Amino acid sequence: MEYVSPEGLRLDGRRFNEMRQIVAEIGVVSKADGSAVFEMGNTKVIAAVYGPREIQNKSQQLKHDRALVLCEYSMAQFSTGDRRRQKQDRRTTELSLVIRQTMEACILTELMPHSQIDIFLQVLQADGGTRSACINAATLALADAGIPMRDLAVSCSAGYLNSTPLLDLNYVEDSAGGADVTVGILPKTDKMDAKLPMETFETVFALASEGCKAIAERIREVLEENTKQLEYRRAA
Amino acid sequence: MVGISVGEQHFLKGGIAQDLRTDGRKRLTYRPISVETGVIPQANGSARVKIGGTDVIASVKAEIGRPSSLQPDKGKVSVFIDCSPTAEPTFGGRGGEELSSELALALQRCLLGGKSGAGAGINLSSLLIKEGKICWDLYIDGLVISSDGNLLDALGAAMKAALTNTAIPKVKVSAEVADDEQPEIDISDEEYQQFDTSSVPVIVTLTKVGAHYIVDATAEEESQMSSAVSISVNRVGHICGFTKRGGSGMDPSVILDMISVAKHMSETLMNKLDSEISAAEACEDDES
């Protein structure tokens, strides 16, 4: 199957280095300490952060000098084309772990000993790149909750199909079986699914990093806008 | 679970006794309701309903299936509810399952009528494609995103809105085949069929706190309830379902009183909901 047309356009009309439309909104779950929706094209994720608060289950506390970060990822029944049957599968567990590790590296956990921070991610629509969307949503929600972080952790995927590096894969491109790299910038975590020669890896990696930077910019804009709104409301 | 102090509990209960609740509402006033339809593009129909701080999404997906042998002339509808941990940290892991199945069962009872399929909110025969062979299976999935009390009413409203939004492709059954063979079907890409949802009931939950009962309770108020009664009423004012939750018992006369109040409240809610749904549908049509 042809994923890139001779004119250099992809299946959904994007160019190789073009991202899908990003929509981000802060404060969607009123009861949570911090929350955000993050959309990348048709992929839509809600993140809610509860904490820092007292550790609920003492047996989970491994280190006494820093906060405990917990993360749970769940997909809505209607998020994919076919209805999903099982709730907890290995993919979900793995994703929770990846996101948890990324966020843990980014939060200044040593400032909040004896406390826990819960991050809940709910996928409403899945169209490729849920891993990246989740990390971006979690960052926004953490910022909304006012949790101290080293930097904004952002993530973006890139792949290699039809001998072209492609930014921000959608579901069709993702399931094409080519290599794909998800990069989380700041705490450098990356993950790969298929084999890729070293030289190509570098270009794909660079492309994903570029994508991350663009997303970080967008996230910063959203946060600044939100802060302005808050300031305005306080003045009024 | 909401933790509130003894002082707050007294304040809350005292307010309800004097017909002025902590958020300024009367005992029988709803919080603002907003409806948005078509929020999930992959589904055949979907809606998002917000009642105050409660936020739920319902989606309807249709799949080709086989009618059950007991009711060869009807399609099948099933209801699933998922309480997302984003709404409440205690819903994480398996924590939300108990509540989810309780809600799903209550909704099924309110919406789908008896075992025979009679009295269902939507006409189950309209889901049939070929008697005894092929029918549509409707899967209604509810997702609780943010919970601030009164989940059942919100989910009921979201389902009604999602069903109104649902469009199912028309199906042609090609040439007659022998009785024991599965006929071939042709699913249309252009023609869609919609449901008549005017007979889908709305659910009104009356929560008893102290000596009085209130409508549309918040999570704080629900934490102080002794029991709650959910009554589903359709447009003509008939009771379609009845569920009681909570530990303490109730006098039958109170229940009868509650039913008449719920019936009265349902008219207002139904009208409000219908206008919100048609506004949301019109808004969606404009965009597309």
Side-chain angles (χ1 to χ4, degrees):
Chain A
M1 192 170 160
E2 194 181 56
Y3 292 95
V4 185
S5 72
E7 293 83 38
L9 294 177
R10 287 150 74 174
L11 294 173
D12 50 5
R14 290 183 287 155
R15 297 195 178 279
F16 80 96
N17 60 353
E18 202 173 330
M19 235 173 327
R20 290 174 286 177
Q21 194 192 10
I22 292 177
V23 181
E25 198 188 327
I26 286 176
V28 282
V29 183
S30 47
K31 270 181 65 192
D33 294 310
S35 62
V37 192
F38 197 87
E39 285 178 49
M40 290 170 97
N42 280 327
T43 299
K44 189 172 183 180
V45 179
I46 287 189
V49 170
Y50 289 87
R53 52 182 189 154
E54 199 182 336
I55 293 185
Q56 310 288 314
N57 185 356
K58 291 273 191 255
S59 64
Q60 286 176 313
Q61 187 177 15
L62 300 172
K63 291 175 185 153
H64 289 270
D65 57 341
R66 56 192 59 216
L68 172 72
V69 178
L70 294 176
C71 178
E72 195 174 316
Y73 168 96
S74 43
M75 279 179 103
Q77 289 272 4
F78 47 73
S79 62
T80 44
D82 295 320
R83 281 181 80 257
R84 287 165 57 83
R85 300 284 136 94
Q86 78 264 51
K87 203 181 168 200
Q88 281 288 342
D89 52 6
R90 293 175 67 178
R91 185 177 166 275
T92 323
T93 320
E94 191 250 295
L95 261 170
S96 300
L97 188 70
V98 168
I99 298 164
R100 177 183 166 181
Q101 284 169 346
T102 314
M103 299 329 286
E104 205 170 19
C106 155
I107 299 169
L108 296 167
T109 48
E110 61 275 15
L111 292 182
M112 297 163 282
H114 308 292
S115 48
Q116 92 173 42
I117 298 166
D118 289 287
I119 306 169
F120 296 110
L121 295 153
Q122 177 76 48
V123 177
L124 295 183
Q125 288 172 57
D127 183 28
T130 47
R131 196 187 308 255
S132 311
C134 280
I135 291 178
N136 298 333
T139 302
L140 268 173
L142 283 169
D144 182 35
I147 289 170
M149 289 187 285
R150 266 169 253 279
D151 195 0
L152 295 174
V154 286
S155 170
C156 187
S157 66
Y160 196 73
L161 285 170
N162 295 143
S163 50
T164 326
L166 300 174
L167 185 65
D168 190 17
L169 304 184
N170 66 20
Y171 182 74
V172 183
E173 291 164 340
D174 202 15
S175 38
D180 93 271
V181 185
T182 302
V183 182
I185 274 203
L186 156 71
K188 271 190 184 155
T189 56
D190 46 22
K191 214 191 115 34
M192 276 187 55
D193 287 353
K195 288 183 188 122
L196 204 61
M198 204 59 208
E199 312 83 76
T200 336
F201 176 74
E202 267 171 37
T203 40
V204 173
F205 188 83
L207 188 65
S209 307
E210 280 303 309
C212 285
K213 277 178 200 150
I215 291 174
E217 229 164 83
R218 181 82 190 97
I219 286 184
R220 209 166 273 281
E221 269 171 37
V222 172
L223 282 172
E224 274 171 13
E225 182 57 33
N226 186 54
T227 315
K228 268 186 207 154
Q229 286 283 333
L230 287 175
E231 201 182 351
Y232 174 74
R233 257 181 261 165
R234 195 175 60 177
Chain B
M1 199 64 221
V2 196
I4 59 174
S5 70
V6 180
E8 282 174 300
Q9 288 177 18
H10 280 299
F11 183 72
L12 200 144
K13 285 184 182 165
I16 289 172
Q18 292 172 36
D19 202 10
L20 182 66
R21 287 151 74 177
T22 44
D23 48 7
R25 285 184 289 155
K26 286 174 177 284
R27 281 199 289 262
L28 298 180
T29 324
Y30 273 87
R31 288 171 286 180
I33 300 176
S34 73
V35 179
E36 204 184 326
T37 52
V39 287
I40 308 291
Q42 291 113 318
N44 294 81
S46 60
R48 181 175 187 171
V49 169
K50 289 183 198 171
I51 303 185
T54 297
D55 191 346
V56 298
I57 291 183
S59 91
V60 179
K61 269 194 183 173
E63 283 172 19
I64 295 280
R66 217 188 152 99
S68 76
S69 52
L70 293 172
Q71 295 158 23
D73 59 339
K74 289 190 170 71
K76 291 178 288 190
V77 181
S78 25
V79 180
F80 298 91
I81 302 297
D82 194 7
C83 290
S84 164
T86 53
E88 190 95 54
T90 48
F91 292 163
R94 296 185 164 271
E97 266 174 32
E98 203 175 312
L99 180 66
S100 302
S101 43
E102 188 187 348
L103 287 170
L105 204 67
L107 283 164
Q108 215 150 22
R109 212 176 288 148
C110 292
L111 198 72
L112 299 181
K115 278 222 167 64
S116 63
I122 48 172
N123 183 5
L124 294 180
S125 308
S126 66
L127 295 171
L128 189 77
I129 298 165
K130 175 108 175 103
E131 188 169 333
K133 293 280 168 63
I134 316 166
C135 69
W136 284 109
D137 286 347
L138 279 195
Y139 293 95
I140 307 180
D141 288 300
L143 177 71
V144 178
I145 291 175
S146 176
S147 111
D148 189 14
N150 208 17
L151 287 177
L152 197 60
D153 294 18
L155 284 166
M159 264 182 208
K160 189 174 160 75
L163 281 170
T164 313
N165 181 243
T166 301
I168 288 179
K170 287 212 167 129
V171 176
K172 274 198 204 102
V173 181
S174 55
E176 286 295 316
V177 282
D179 275 354
D180 50 344
E181 275 175 67
Q182 197 71 345
E184 279 184 28
I185 50 168
D186 178 30
I187 301 174
S188 161
D189 304 336
E190 283 151 14
E191 284 183 288
Y192 289 93
Q193 143 195 11
Q194 284 200 306
F195 292 117
D196 174 26
T197 51
S198 55
S199 54
V200 176
V202 289
I203 303 172
V204 176
T205 302
L206 294 168
T207 310
K208 199 155 178 281
V209 181
H212 300 86
Y213 46 84
I214 52 173
V215 86
D216 190 19
T218 62
E220 277 176 1
E221 287 164 339
E222 274 181 358
S223 72
Q224 298 306 311
M225 76 174 196
S226 55
S227 48
V229 169
S230 300
I231 301 155
S232 70
V233 188
N234 66 8
R235 178 165 294 283
V236 284
H238 290 167
I239 309 286
C240 304
F242 184 94
T243 313
K244 181 189 163 294
R245 285 179 295 148
S248 68
M250 272 170 157
D251 195 81
S253 67
V254 178
I255 295 187
L256 288 178
D257 189 29
M258 281 172 135
I259 290 179
S260 71
V261 171
K263 201 174 144 182
H264 175 69
M265 290 307 298
S266 73
E267 278 174 38
T268 346
L269 180 64
M270 180 84 88
N271 289 338
K272 170 87 183 123
L273 207 58
D274 279 346
S275 66
E276 282 287 335
I277 292 174
S278 51
E281 289 280 82
C283 178
E284 199 201 347
D285 285 344
D286 279 351
E287 277 168 24
S288 56

